[in-house]
Amino acid sequence: MTILETIKGPRDLWPLTVPQLDELAEEIRAFLIRAVARTGGHLGPNLGVVELSLALHRVFDSPQDKVLWDTGHQSYVHKLLTGRQDFSKLRGKGGLSGYPSREESEHDVIENSHASTVLGWADGLAKANELLGRPDHVVAVIGDGALTGGMAWEALNNIAAAKDRPLVIVVNDNERSYAPTIGGLAHHLAALRTADGYERFLSWGKDLLDRTPVVGRPLYDSLHGAKKGFKDAFAPQGLFEDLGLKYVGPVDGHDVAAVESALRRAKGFSGPVLVHCITEKGRGYQPALEDEADRFHAVGAMDPQTCLPLSPPSGPSWTSVFGDALAEEGARRPEVVALTAAMLHPVGLTKFAERFPERVFDVGIAEQHAAVSAAGLATGGLHPVVAVYATFLNRAFDQVLMDVALHRCGVTFVLDRAGVTGADGPSHNGMWDLSVLQVVPGLRIAAPRDADELRAQLREALDVDDAPTLLRFPKESVGEPLPALGRVGGMDVLRQDDAAEVLLVAVGAMAGVCLGAAELLAGSGVRCAVVDPRWVKPVDPALPPLAARHRLVAVVEDNSRTGGVGAAVGQALRDAGVDVPLRTFGIPEQFLAHASRKEVLAEIGLTPVEIAGRVGAALARREALEPKENQE
Ligand SMILES: Cc1ncc(C[n+]2csc(CCOP(=O)(O)OP(=O)(O)O)c2C)c(N)n1
Ligand SMILES: CC(=O)[C@@H](O)[C@H](O)COP(=O)(O)O
Ligand SMILES: [Mg+2]
């Protein structure tokens, strides 16, 4: 039996010796490589927090003490130590979530996989403990990447002010988000890392000079006098200490005894304290360590020996089509610049960055800053393209509204992972953008249905320099071209039928689903036309009169039904005095449990069969309600 198999809960760690802990760490790494290669997941981040997780659960008594994880993608070891060792369906339907989950365990608190929130949670929990007289500890783990998010600093500002409120912050500093972490903070963390090197260098120098006859001592004394200036130059006084936080570190995050000692010291402080752990993303797995792009930050199911994907993609992704198109546009349009929030490669900016390195800005995990900086770039005469995952733009809504749109800035937002993403769980689905952004005056939104449309709509967006534009597409292969048979207003006709009873309005990647539904309906004698609005906001003025020529209209979108495109179409029809019955198909107003995109789409009825069935039933109900003489 392995040591790992004996760990049923954190307290089983407490009696272990350091050699046993080192052995357990190796067992855990082997487990992670084997299990995550089989299912896919965040392998690199979790390989980097093995010893840290062991030490945390030896020093703190979870769940009484709260162990909190920022972003939560690095909580696999935490799960292994808190009674969850069946990773066979990790991130899959009915299996373990890839993030903390209260439903799974009392040891889990934050399920939200959006970065930079952990310190806010910790601030609140520590205040609650103080007010309710609980002696429990709160320890928050935040990565160096997540620390570049503004929310982290809002929390730090509050935490540092409460000098007598215990709270332990662990900075898991592996020098990377996906790519190496950017910005002044990264430089400061690096300086703190050298602080340790500086001290070691100093003690080495002192020993050497002590052993140097005659000149040694006087030389050491003069150097020592210069120490203050030298230290400030090479290891500046900690930003965190200047804020008012106690600082412990830097600590070798892979030396479990050292981490444990630092955490025990921190636990003993009566106020807020920051433990700076130096770790290595991908530790213990050479292919991850050699992965310059992102140290196997997030891998698909793969062969652990060859690292080749077990199920290669069926075709080019939307991301790759966008990346190629933007690089081409960038060659023609010198005013185009690109912004990423620490996800240059995942959002497809690699090629653009290779060709125009001076025209790409990685702002760190700071989507709000990206939007406001883009407003500045646009006002300065450039055309910024802000490429983010759809769900992460949620936090920049006010900046899109009040900085970009209010000032009519020509900024183009490109939302990857729009719609159901699936395996990353409820906080990763890009299911709110078409609802939340409906209220932004002047913002124009496009949803391409295939690669050609993505390229065309990107060009159209880049031509707009007096208003914000936005494109959105899902996490999947881009699929076959879906050619237009004609155009009505600005809308493409995908299935032509002048005698159609039903009009299906297909939003973006739902075009294929609508064409499939129309085919099924035709098989049961219901004639359908299918249109793709292309630009879904504002609603095309040609849509109400077109709708009026049908007996039923259905809008199908990979977005929340609440306040989405379907709702906007309904409002446009009413405003135009068109009272044709309307059905809206989309994502229900709920948080979706993790499963594959395909499984989730089936669960929520965004499939040809389901849509055909419900449209057919709605039409039948309409017929049943109509007086006989009205029916053709
Ligand atoms: C608001 C937000 N933006 C972007 C992401 C995507 N993302 C997930 S993990 C990650 C990098 C996190 O880096 P760090 O905090 O240093 O953790 P590490 O992976 O290095 O352990 C990013 C950018 C996110 N989860 N949340
Ligand atoms: C934790 C996080 O937010 C990202 O790592 C995300 O899981 C990546 O998603 P994709 O795998 O879809 O790029
Ligand atoms: Mg990091």
Side-chain angles (χ1 to χ4, degrees), residues 34 41 80 102 113-114 130 136 141 189 191 206 219 239 246 265 275 315 327 351 405 457 489 500 507 510 578 593 615:
R34 195 171 52 247
L80 286 172
R102 293 183 182 188
S113 64
H114 290 203
E130 184 178 61
D136 306 335
V141 181
L189 288 174
K206 184 174 180 306
L219 188 57
L239 158 74
K246 282 194 177 22
R265 274 179 60 203
V275 179
K351 284 192 178 170
Q457 290 167 22
V507 175
M510 290 291 106
V578 173
V615 167

Side-chain angles (χ1 to χ4, degrees), residues 143-145 172-177 181 281:
D144 55 299
N172 171 31
D173 180 5
N174 54 28
E175 301 178 69
R176 300 181 77 99
S177 292
T181 301
K281 201 163 191 172

Side-chain angles (χ1 to χ4, degrees), residues 490-548:
M491 302 182 290
D492 278 350
V493 176
L494 305 184
R495 182 184 177 99
Q496 181 84 43
D497 183 341
D498 293 339
E501 303 164 275
V502 174
L503 176 65
L504 295 182
V505 180
V507 175
M510 290 291 106
V513 170
C514 288
L515 286 168
E519 200 54 38
L520 292 170
L521 282 162
S524 57
V526 177
R527 299 177 63 163
C528 287
V530 179
V531 290
D532 166 10
R534 301 184 74 251
W535 290 87
V536 293
K537 178 184 186 299
V539 174
D540 193 302
L543 183 50
L546 177 66

Side-chain angles (χ1 to χ4, degrees), residues 61-111:
D61 188 11
S62 174
Q64 192 79 11
D65 295 335
K66 295 293 177 271
V67 178
L68 311 174
W69 302 92
D70 192 280
T71 317
H73 63 303
Q74 78 295 56
S75 60
Y76 298 1
V77 183
H78 163 79
K79 293 198 175 199
L80 286 172
L81 304 178
T82 53
R84 291 165 280 177
Q85 298 190 6
D86 177 3
F87 275 44
S88 59
K89 292 197 287 185
L90 176 67
R91 297 159 49 94
K93 188 179 176 66
L96 282 181
S97 163
Y99 300 88
S101 160
R102 293 183 182 188
E103 191 180 321
E104 284 177 16
S105 169
E106 58 181 344
H107 295 278
D108 293 3
V109 178
I110 309 170
E111 304 184 346

